[in-house]
Amino acid sequence: MMIGLLMALFTEAAASSKNDEQMLRDWIKVIASDEFGGRKPMTPFEDKTVNYLAQQLEEIGLEPAFNGSWFQPFDMIAVTAKPQGSKLAVKGRRQAELRYPDDVVVWTARATDKVVLPKAEYVFVGFGIHAPEYGWDDYADIDVKGKIVIAMVNDPGYYNAQLFRGRNMTYYGRWLYKFEEAHRQGAAGCLVLHNTEAASYGWHVCVNGHLENNLALYNPDTRNADELAIKGWLREEGASKLFAAADMNMSEALAAAKRPGFKGFSLKVKGDVRMAVSYDIQQTRNVGAILRGTDKADEVVVMNAHWDHLGIGKPDEHGDSIYNGAADNASGMASALLVAKKFKALPQRPRRSVIFLFPSSEESGLFGSEYYCNHPAIPMEKTSACLNFESIGPAELTHDVVILGGGASDLDQYYVAAAAAQGRTIFFDDDNSDGWFFRSDHYNFVKKGVRAVVVENGLKPVDPTRPNKYPMPVWYHKPSDEYHNDWDLSGTLANTNLIFSVGLSLVFAP
């Protein structure tokens, strides 16, 4: 009986209707309209966005996910910091000055009006990685407590395919990890050593992203005093000044850091760090709804689609200053709402519960999902999987579907089966050299041990004569990310139903 029901459900899931497509288009047109102002958190457009989502979820017939509320509020801090005299002066065997922001860009997450670190010592820790499973420890036999560590971006596999996972970058390569590990090691600060190829973006990205309004989750009990005093990026030209002040060969140090057995060392360079700090603390909200299960209602599958985008910013060449975020991520929200509607319409309630989560502040650092994962509506150990809707349209129909992050769990087989039911195949892409797998909300769930992968449109179009008119490089993080009536949503619908099928198999599984 259960097998027959599941087969019927899968058949429904694998199919699309004109009504489905029209609902997607209607939701996207509204959410990505100028009236929503680019959906930047902590602006008046947040109210409009989260209230609209709550209204849609209520009309679908779901329940609020957060103790009777559709909203999960949390505090954020926006910090602007600048070193005194726009420089960091250091002294070793020689003296040097790191110019801000040409050589270094720095900030903090602390709620304070200044940061002062007298005679701070600089330590080179290679990649700044502590990874016992790979036999790698850049912090072995060195005490970095109260010091500023310099950690190279990416991981050793970028330079040697025999190390770590080769070019398939691990989380140890992410710049955010460098800060996390430095904090665990007791450092006072961490500067990530930039390299354009290893980072996959130029120095201008580091500068533009961190000169002002650096966002972080805010803890009112500690005022974030337990965070690193200093976070930052160090340009290679700036690093060469530090090594020159230490009278050390930077090229030899970087080469040594790429080989197994490297151990961090002090540059024997010190300098006072003084930063003026201004900050603003505001509240933002995740949105969530729940469809409660039956005999396994205390277990859950999370359907995730972040609601935020970049708001109103620098005008493009056409004078358009609204970053509408139609593909990123109005398409994801619309797909999640469609799946919610399909779940609610099932003839039988699922065994496990389903949460439809719309986090805030994904674009600024995955903060909404991080907060949710630390304060979940249902405990993380009872969370079966996170199925993420990220920039899912527009997309043409393809014979295949790309999965990033495969091989980590049995979730792979669910996607293979769901794709087969659609007459499609899965291509497991193991090239994560740009760290894309770590750049969306699902990864906060992965860090908690929850199964998740990245779903992307395939590489083999069903109709090669009709390519996608709006590929990602055309619109990504630009005002041109707007809805158009000629969007091809055939692949979007197929991928949405693929994720729905996977969700069905998870929530009805024994």
Side-chain angles (χ1 to χ4, degrees), residues 69-86:
S69 175
W70 300 105
F71 307 123
Q72 183 184 45
F74 59 96
D75 291 331
M76 295 282 292
I77 184 171
V79 179
T80 299
K82 186 176 181 180
Q84 190 176 73
S86 296

mmCIF file with all atom_site columns, all heavy atoms in Angstrom, residues 69-86:
data_model
loop_
_atom_site.group_PDB
_atom_site.id
_atom_site.type_symbol
_atom_site.label_atom_id
_atom_site.label_alt_id
_atom_site.label_comp_id
_atom_site.label_asym_id
_atom_site.label_entity_id
_atom_site.label_seq_id
_atom_site.pdbx_PDB_ins_code
_atom_site.Cartn_x
_atom_site.Cartn_y
_atom_site.Cartn_z
_atom_site.occupancy
_atom_site.B_iso_or_equiv
_atom_site.pdbx_formal_charge
_atom_site.auth_seq_id
_atom_site.auth_comp_id
_atom_site.auth_asym_id
_atom_site.auth_atom_id
_atom_site.pdbx_PDB_model_num
ATOM 1   N N   . SER A 1 69 ? 4.409  31.757 15.804 1.00 0.00 ? 69 SER A N   1
ATOM 2   C CA  . SER A 1 69 ? 4.767  32.920 14.996 1.00 0.00 ? 69 SER A CA  1
ATOM 3   C C   . SER A 1 69 ? 5.391  32.479 13.681 1.00 0.00 ? 69 SER A C   1
ATOM 4   O O   . SER A 1 69 ? 6.088  31.460 13.615 1.00 0.00 ? 69 SER A O   1
ATOM 5   C CB  . SER A 1 69 ? 5.764  33.813 15.755 1.00 0.00 ? 69 SER A CB  1
ATOM 6   O OG  . SER A 1 69 ? 6.204  34.881 14.920 1.00 0.00 ? 69 SER A OG  1
ATOM 7   N N   . TRP A 1 70 ? 5.157  33.271 12.630 1.00 0.00 ? 70 TRP A N   1
ATOM 8   C CA  . TRP A 1 70 ? 5.799  33.022 11.347 1.00 0.00 ? 70 TRP A CA  1
ATOM 9   C C   . TRP A 1 70 ? 7.250  33.495 11.353 1.00 0.00 ? 70 TRP A C   1
ATOM 10  O O   . TRP A 1 70 ? 8.016  33.143 10.450 1.00 0.00 ? 70 TRP A O   1
ATOM 11  C CB  . TRP A 1 70 ? 5.063  33.773 10.229 1.00 0.00 ? 70 TRP A CB  1
ATOM 12  C CG  . TRP A 1 70 ? 3.619  33.399 10.059 1.00 0.00 ? 70 TRP A CG  1
ATOM 13  C CD1 . TRP A 1 70 ? 2.539  34.142 10.438 1.00 0.00 ? 70 TRP A CD1 1
ATOM 14  C CD2 . TRP A 1 70 ? 3.085  32.195 9.479  1.00 0.00 ? 70 TRP A CD2 1
ATOM 15  N NE1 . TRP A 1 70 ? 1.368  33.484 10.132 1.00 0.00 ? 70 TRP A NE1 1
ATOM 16  C CE2 . TRP A 1 70 ? 1.672  32.286 9.539  1.00 0.00 ? 70 TRP A CE2 1
ATOM 17  C CE3 . TRP A 1 70 ? 3.674  31.064 8.923  1.00 0.00 ? 70 TRP A CE3 1
ATOM 18  C CZ2 . TRP A 1 70 ? 0.843  31.283 9.057  1.00 0.00 ? 70 TRP A CZ2 1
ATOM 19  C CZ3 . TRP A 1 70 ? 2.844  30.044 8.445  1.00 0.00 ? 70 TRP A CZ3 1
ATOM 20  C CH2 . TRP A 1 70 ? 1.447  30.161 8.517  1.00 0.00 ? 70 TRP A CH2 1
ATOM 21  N N   . PHE A 1 71 ? 7.628  34.268 12.376 1.00 0.00 ? 71 PHE A N   1
ATOM 22  C CA  . PHE A 1 71 ? 8.910  34.959 12.353 1.00 0.00 ? 71 PHE A CA  1
ATOM 23  C C   . PHE A 1 71 ? 9.842  34.481 13.456 1.00 0.00 ? 71 PHE A C   1
ATOM 24  O O   . PHE A 1 71 ? 9.416  34.195 14.578 1.00 0.00 ? 71 PHE A O   1
ATOM 25  C CB  . PHE A 1 71 ? 8.709  36.468 12.484 1.00 0.00 ? 71 PHE A CB  1
ATOM 26  C CG  . PHE A 1 71 ? 7.729  37.029 11.478 1.00 0.00 ? 71 PHE A CG  1
ATOM 27  C CD1 . PHE A 1 71 ? 6.601  37.723 11.902 1.00 0.00 ? 71 PHE A CD1 1
ATOM 28  C CD2 . PHE A 1 71 ? 7.921  36.837 10.123 1.00 0.00 ? 71 PHE A CD2 1
ATOM 29  C CE1 . PHE A 1 71 ? 5.694  38.231 10.990 1.00 0.00 ? 71 PHE A CE1 1
ATOM 30  C CE2 . PHE A 1 71 ? 7.020  37.336 9.193  1.00 0.00 ? 71 PHE A CE2 1
ATOM 31  C CZ  . PHE A 1 71 ? 5.906  38.031 9.626  1.00 0.00 ? 71 PHE A CZ  1
ATOM 32  N N   . GLN A 1 72 ? 11.129 34.427 13.122 1.00 0.00 ? 72 GLN A N   1
ATOM 33  C CA  . GLN A 1 72 ? 12.186 34.132 14.087 1.00 0.00 ? 72 GLN A CA  1
ATOM 34  C C   . GLN A 1 72 ? 13.151 35.322 14.097 1.00 0.00 ? 72 GLN A C   1
ATOM 35  O O   . GLN A 1 72 ? 14.047 35.420 13.265 1.00 0.00 ? 72 GLN A O   1
ATOM 36  C CB  . GLN A 1 72 ? 12.935 32.847 13.711 1.00 0.00 ? 72 GLN A CB  1
ATOM 37  C CG  . GLN A 1 72 ? 14.007 32.445 14.722 1.00 0.00 ? 72 GLN A CG  1
ATOM 38  C CD  . GLN A 1 72 ? 14.799 31.221 14.282 1.00 0.00 ? 72 GLN A CD  1
ATOM 39  O OE1 . GLN A 1 72 ? 15.221 31.123 13.126 1.00 0.00 ? 72 GLN A OE1 1
ATOM 40  N NE2 . GLN A 1 72 ? 15.013 30.286 15.206 1.00 0.00 ? 72 GLN A NE2 1
ATOM 41  N N   . PRO A 1 73 ? 12.960 36.254 15.021 1.00 0.00 ? 73 PRO A N   1
ATOM 42  C CA  . PRO A 1 73 ? 13.812 37.450 15.036 1.00 0.00 ? 73 PRO A CA  1
ATOM 43  C C   . PRO A 1 73 ? 15.187 37.167 15.637 1.00 0.00 ? 73 PRO A C   1
ATOM 44  O O   . PRO A 1 73 ? 15.342 36.299 16.498 1.00 0.00 ? 73 PRO A O   1
ATOM 45  C CB  . PRO A 1 73 ? 13.022 38.426 15.913 1.00 0.00 ? 73 PRO A CB  1
ATOM 46  C CG  . PRO A 1 73 ? 12.239 37.544 16.839 1.00 0.00 ? 73 PRO A CG  1
ATOM 47  C CD  . PRO A 1 73 ? 11.921 36.294 16.071 1.00 0.00 ? 73 PRO A CD  1
ATOM 48  N N   . PHE A 1 74 ? 16.180 37.893 15.164 1.00 0.00 ? 74 PHE A N   1
ATOM 49  C CA  . PHE A 1 74 ? 17.514 37.817 15.765 1.00 0.00 ? 74 PHE A CA  1
ATOM 50  C C   . PHE A 1 74 ? 18.251 39.127 15.493 1.00 0.00 ? 74 PHE A C   1
ATOM 51  O O   . PHE A 1 74 ? 17.915 39.874 14.574 1.00 0.00 ? 74 PHE A O   1
ATOM 52  C CB  . PHE A 1 74 ? 18.313 36.619 15.237 1.00 0.00 ? 74 PHE A CB  1
ATOM 53  C CG  . PHE A 1 74 ? 18.535 36.616 13.749 1.00 0.00 ? 74 PHE A CG  1
ATOM 54  C CD1 . PHE A 1 74 ? 19.704 37.118 13.193 1.00 0.00 ? 74 PHE A CD1 1
ATOM 55  C CD2 . PHE A 1 74 ? 17.580 36.079 12.886 1.00 0.00 ? 74 PHE A CD2 1
ATOM 56  C CE1 . PHE A 1 74 ? 19.919 37.103 11.829 1.00 0.00 ? 74 PHE A CE1 1
ATOM 57  C CE2 . PHE A 1 74 ? 17.785 36.060 11.514 1.00 0.00 ? 74 PHE A CE2 1
ATOM 58  C CZ  . PHE A 1 74 ? 18.957 36.576 10.984 1.00 0.00 ? 74 PHE A CZ  1
ATOM 59  N N   . ASP A 1 75 ? 19.260 39.395 16.316 1.00 0.00 ? 75 ASP A N   1
ATOM 60  C CA  . ASP A 1 75 ? 19.996 40.659 16.244 1.00 0.00 ? 75 ASP A CA  1
ATOM 61  C C   . ASP A 1 75 ? 21.223 40.531 15.356 1.00 0.00 ? 75 ASP A C   1
ATOM 62  O O   . ASP A 1 75 ? 21.927 39.511 15.362 1.00 0.00 ? 75 ASP A O   1
ATOM 63  C CB  . ASP A 1 75 ? 20.441 41.100 17.636 1.00 0.00 ? 75 ASP A CB  1
ATOM 64  C CG  . ASP A 1 75 ? 19.275 41.516 18.510 1.00 0.00 ? 75 ASP A CG  1
ATOM 65  O OD1 . ASP A 1 75 ? 18.262 41.996 17.954 1.00 0.00 ? 75 ASP A OD1 1
ATOM 66  O OD2 . ASP A 1 75 ? 19.365 41.359 19.743 1.00 0.00 ? 75 ASP A OD2 1
ATOM 67  N N   . MET A 1 76 ? 21.488 41.594 14.606 1.00 0.00 ? 76 MET A N   1
ATOM 68  C CA  . MET A 1 76 ? 22.680 41.699 13.778 1.00 0.00 ? 76 MET A CA  1
ATOM 69  C C   . MET A 1 76 ? 23.426 42.979 14.153 1.00 0.00 ? 76 MET A C   1
ATOM 70  O O   . MET A 1 76 ? 22.815 43.971 14.545 1.00 0.00 ? 76 MET A O   1
ATOM 71  C CB  . MET A 1 76 ? 22.301 41.762 12.300 1.00 0.00 ? 76 MET A CB  1
ATOM 72  C CG  . MET A 1 76 ? 21.653 40.507 11.754 1.00 0.00 ? 76 MET A CG  1
ATOM 73  S SD  . MET A 1 76 ? 22.845 39.202 11.421 1.00 0.00 ? 76 MET A SD  1
ATOM 74  C CE  . MET A 1 76 ? 23.746 39.917 10.045 1.00 0.00 ? 76 MET A CE  1
ATOM 75  N N   . ILE A 1 77 ? 24.733 42.940 14.005 1.00 0.00 ? 77 ILE A N   1
ATOM 76  C CA  . ILE A 1 77 ? 25.543 44.129 14.215 1.00 0.00 ? 77 ILE A CA  1
ATOM 77  C C   . ILE A 1 77 ? 26.243 44.472 12.905 1.00 0.00 ? 77 ILE A C   1
ATOM 78  O O   . ILE A 1 77 ? 26.759 43.594 12.215 1.00 0.00 ? 77 ILE A O   1
ATOM 79  C CB  . ILE A 1 77 ? 26.573 43.929 15.358 1.00 0.00 ? 77 ILE A CB  1
ATOM 80  C CG1 . ILE A 1 77 ? 27.345 45.231 15.615 1.00 0.00 ? 77 ILE A CG1 1
ATOM 81  C CG2 . ILE A 1 77 ? 27.511 42.770 15.086 1.00 0.00 ? 77 ILE A CG2 1
ATOM 82  C CD1 . ILE A 1 77 ? 28.216 45.189 16.863 1.00 0.00 ? 77 ILE A CD1 1
ATOM 83  N N   . ALA A 1 78 ? 26.207 45.746 12.551 1.00 0.00 ? 78 ALA A N   1
ATOM 84  C CA  . ALA A 1 78 ? 26.911 46.245 11.366 1.00 0.00 ? 78 ALA A CA  1
ATOM 85  C C   . ALA A 1 78 ? 28.044 47.146 11.846 1.00 0.00 ? 78 ALA A C   1
ATOM 86  O O   . ALA A 1 78 ? 27.805 48.136 12.534 1.00 0.00 ? 78 ALA A O   1
ATOM 87  C CB  . ALA A 1 78 ? 25.957 47.021 10.464 1.00 0.00 ? 78 ALA A CB  1
ATOM 88  N N   . VAL A 1 79 ? 29.277 46.777 11.509 1.00 0.00 ? 79 VAL A N   1
ATOM 89  C CA  . VAL A 1 79 ? 30.448 47.446 12.054 1.00 0.00 ? 79 VAL A CA  1
ATOM 90  C C   . VAL A 1 79 ? 31.282 48.074 10.941 1.00 0.00 ? 79 VAL A C   1
ATOM 91  O O   . VAL A 1 79 ? 31.543 47.446 9.909  1.00 0.00 ? 79 VAL A O   1
ATOM 92  C CB  . VAL A 1 79 ? 31.336 46.453 12.837 1.00 0.00 ? 79 VAL A CB  1
ATOM 93  C CG1 . VAL A 1 79 ? 32.574 47.159 13.381 1.00 0.00 ? 79 VAL A CG1 1
ATOM 94  C CG2 . VAL A 1 79 ? 30.555 45.821 13.976 1.00 0.00 ? 79 VAL A CG2 1
ATOM 95  N N   . THR A 1 80 ? 31.700 49.311 11.170 1.00 0.00 ? 80 THR A N   1
ATOM 96  C CA  . THR A 1 80 ? 32.671 49.969 10.303 1.00 0.00 ? 80 THR A CA  1
ATOM 97  C C   . THR A 1 80 ? 33.892 50.310 11.160 1.00 0.00 ? 80 THR A C   1
ATOM 98  O O   . THR A 1 80 ? 33.756 50.955 12.202 1.00 0.00 ? 80 THR A O   1
ATOM 99  C CB  . THR A 1 80 ? 32.091 51.249 9.687  1.00 0.00 ? 80 THR A CB  1
ATOM 100 O OG1 . THR A 1 80 ? 30.952 50.909 8.883  1.00 0.00 ? 80 THR A OG1 1
ATOM 101 C CG2 . THR A 1 80 ? 33.119 51.955 8.821  1.00 0.00 ? 80 THR A CG2 1
ATOM 102 N N   . ALA A 1 81 ? 35.048 49.833 10.734 1.00 0.00 ? 81 ALA A N   1
ATOM 103 C CA  . ALA A 1 81 ? 36.272 50.047 11.509 1.00 0.00 ? 81 ALA A CA  1
ATOM 104 C C   . ALA A 1 81 ? 37.368 50.577 10.597 1.00 0.00 ? 81 ALA A C   1
ATOM 105 O O   . ALA A 1 81 ? 37.432 50.243 9.410  1.00 0.00 ? 81 ALA A O   1
ATOM 106 C CB  . ALA A 1 81 ? 36.720 48.747 12.169 1.00 0.00 ? 81 ALA A CB  1
ATOM 107 N N   . LYS A 1 82 ? 38.231 51.399 11.179 1.00 0.00 ? 82 LYS A N   1
ATOM 108 C CA  . LYS A 1 82 ? 39.343 51.961 10.396 1.00 0.00 ? 82 LYS A CA  1
ATOM 109 C C   . LYS A 1 82 ? 40.556 52.116 11.303 1.00 0.00 ? 82 LYS A C   1
ATOM 110 O O   . LYS A 1 82 ? 40.456 52.678 12.394 1.00 0.00 ? 82 LYS A O   1
ATOM 111 C CB  . LYS A 1 82 ? 38.944 53.317 9.819  1.00 0.00 ? 82 LYS A CB  1
ATOM 112 C CG  . LYS A 1 82 ? 39.979 53.907 8.871  1.00 0.00 ? 82 LYS A CG  1
ATOM 113 C CD  . LYS A 1 82 ? 39.470 55.221 8.268  1.00 0.00 ? 82 LYS A CD  1
ATOM 114 C CE  . LYS A 1 82 ? 40.498 55.812 7.304  1.00 0.00 ? 82 LYS A CE  1
ATOM 115 N NZ  . LYS A 1 82 ? 40.011 57.080 6.707  1.00 0.00 ? 82 LYS A NZ  1
ATOM 116 N N   . PRO A 1 83 ? 41.707 51.608 10.865 1.00 0.00 ? 83 PRO A N   1
ATOM 117 C CA  . PRO A 1 83 ? 42.903 51.760 11.702 1.00 0.00 ? 83 PRO A CA  1
ATOM 118 C C   . PRO A 1 83 ? 43.360 53.205 11.788 1.00 0.00 ? 83 PRO A C   1
ATOM 119 O O   . PRO A 1 83 ? 43.210 53.979 10.835 1.00 0.00 ? 83 PRO A O   1
ATOM 120 C CB  . PRO A 1 83 ? 43.943 50.880 10.984 1.00 0.00 ? 83 PRO A CB  1
ATOM 121 C CG  . PRO A 1 83 ? 43.459 50.748 9.585  1.00 0.00 ? 83 PRO A CG  1
ATOM 122 C CD  . PRO A 1 83 ? 41.956 50.824 9.646  1.00 0.00 ? 83 PRO A CD  1
ATOM 123 N N   . GLN A 1 84 ? 43.896 53.558 12.945 1.00 0.00 ? 84 GLN A N   1
ATOM 124 C CA  . GLN A 1 84 ? 44.349 54.914 13.176 1.00 0.00 ? 84 GLN A CA  1
ATOM 125 C C   . GLN A 1 84 ? 45.417 55.296 12.152 1.00 0.00 ? 84 GLN A C   1
ATOM 126 O O   . GLN A 1 84 ? 46.386 54.558 11.923 1.00 0.00 ? 84 GLN A O   1
ATOM 127 C CB  . GLN A 1 84 ? 44.922 55.019 14.598 1.00 0.00 ? 84 GLN A CB  1
ATOM 128 C CG  . GLN A 1 84 ? 45.220 56.422 15.067 1.00 0.00 ? 84 GLN A CG  1
ATOM 129 C CD  . GLN A 1 84 ? 45.683 56.424 16.511 1.00 0.00 ? 84 GLN A CD  1
ATOM 130 O OE1 . GLN A 1 84 ? 46.801 56.015 16.818 1.00 0.00 ? 84 GLN A OE1 1
ATOM 131 N NE2 . GLN A 1 84 ? 44.813 56.869 17.406 1.00 0.00 ? 84 GLN A NE2 1
ATOM 132 N N   . GLY A 1 85 ? 45.217 56.452 11.515 1.00 0.00 ? 85 GLY A N   1
ATOM 133 C CA  . GLY A 1 85 ? 46.164 56.901 10.507 1.00 0.00 ? 85 GLY A CA  1
ATOM 134 C C   . GLY A 1 85 ? 46.104 56.105 9.222  1.00 0.00 ? 85 GLY A C   1
ATOM 135 O O   . GLY A 1 85 ? 47.006 56.212 8.375  1.00 0.00 ? 85 GLY A O   1
ATOM 136 N N   . SER A 1 86 ? 45.062 55.283 9.074  1.00 0.00 ? 86 SER A N   1
ATOM 137 C CA  . SER A 1 86 ? 44.886 54.438 7.886  1.00 0.00 ? 86 SER A CA  1
ATOM 138 C C   . SER A 1 86 ? 46.109 53.558 7.624  1.00 0.00 ? 86 SER A C   1
ATOM 139 O O   . SER A 1 86 ? 46.521 53.348 6.475  1.00 0.00 ? 86 SER A O   1
ATOM 140 C CB  . SER A 1 86 ? 44.587 55.299 6.645  1.00 0.00 ? 86 SER A CB  1
ATOM 141 O OG  . SER A 1 86 ? 43.362 55.966 6.793  1.00 0.00 ? 86 SER A OG  1
#
